[in-house]
Amino acid sequence: LSGSTKYLNGRTLVNAGTANWSGGALTFQNGAVFENRLGASFTVQTIASMDNYGGSGSRSFNNAGAFAKTSGGGNTIINVPFNNTGGVQAQNGSLVFDGGFTQTAGSTLLNGGGISSGSTINITAACWRVRGPWAPVFPAAARSVRARPPAC
């Protein structure tokens, strides 16, 4: 996924293999959903954003596979709800989950990168691992962090 803006409108896009996002915004509207299936990988190599363009229906990014920000520095802003039951890795720059982040299984690894949000971070039956120095960045006025993660 590179170049100019991509529009996902009222459909579900399923990744069962490998997807590399290297440029151009990804826009979600009218119930659009991106499904990153178990065994699939989605690699972020950009500071572009996933944007919520509204419309009818719920929009989301559902990750059951591997989701990793490996390059691109800076912030990659995800403005749609992100539901994780797979693995999320921040290796470079920051993943900013302004559409919310819910993790009910799987893991999140901060390995040289960071995670922040101006919205809800909800971690229940999953684990987080931090390698190296990192301090969470959550604006006090907007945050709601609920966490009961077990040890990894």
Side-chain angles (χ1 to χ4, degrees):
L1 304 166
S2 63
S4 62
T5 299
K6 287 92 183 140
Y7 297 90
L8 186 55
N9 187 355
R11 303 276 189 227
T12 298
L13 179 60
V14 175
N15 177 34
T18 301
N20 295 303
W21 180 26
S22 60
L26 301 177
T27 62
F28 293 65
Q29 68 186 102
N30 294 317
V33 174
F34 193 107
E35 294 277 346
N36 196 46
R37 294 265 170 98
L38 183 64
S41 66
F42 188 97
T43 304
V44 179
Q45 301 170 324
T46 184
I47 58 170
S49 60
M50 287 187 194
D51 296 319
N52 184 343
Y53 270 38
S56 63
S58 298
R59 294 145 306 279
S60 65
F61 191 104
N62 301 325
N63 180 54
F67 183 96
K69 180 167 170 69
T70 60
S71 62
N75 295 333
T76 298
I77 300 170
I78 301 170
N79 288 311
V80 295
F82 191 97
N83 303 305
N84 185 44
T85 58
V88 172
Q89 275 197 56
Q91 299 173 5
N92 186 284
S94 290
L95 291 167
V96 181
F97 293 103
D98 280 349
F101 180 91
T102 299
Q103 182 167 317
T104 57
S107 64
T108 296
L109 172 61
L110 307 178
N111 190 14
I115 288 180
S116 67
S117 178
S119 188
T120 300
I121 298 284
N122 188 9
I123 308 159
T124 56
C127 69
W128 279 52
R129 291 176 284 198
V130 179
R131 292 191 182 143
W134 179 76
V137 179
F138 302 109
R143 87 170 175 253
S144 174
V145 179
R146 295 183 290 274
R148 294 180 289 127
C152 295

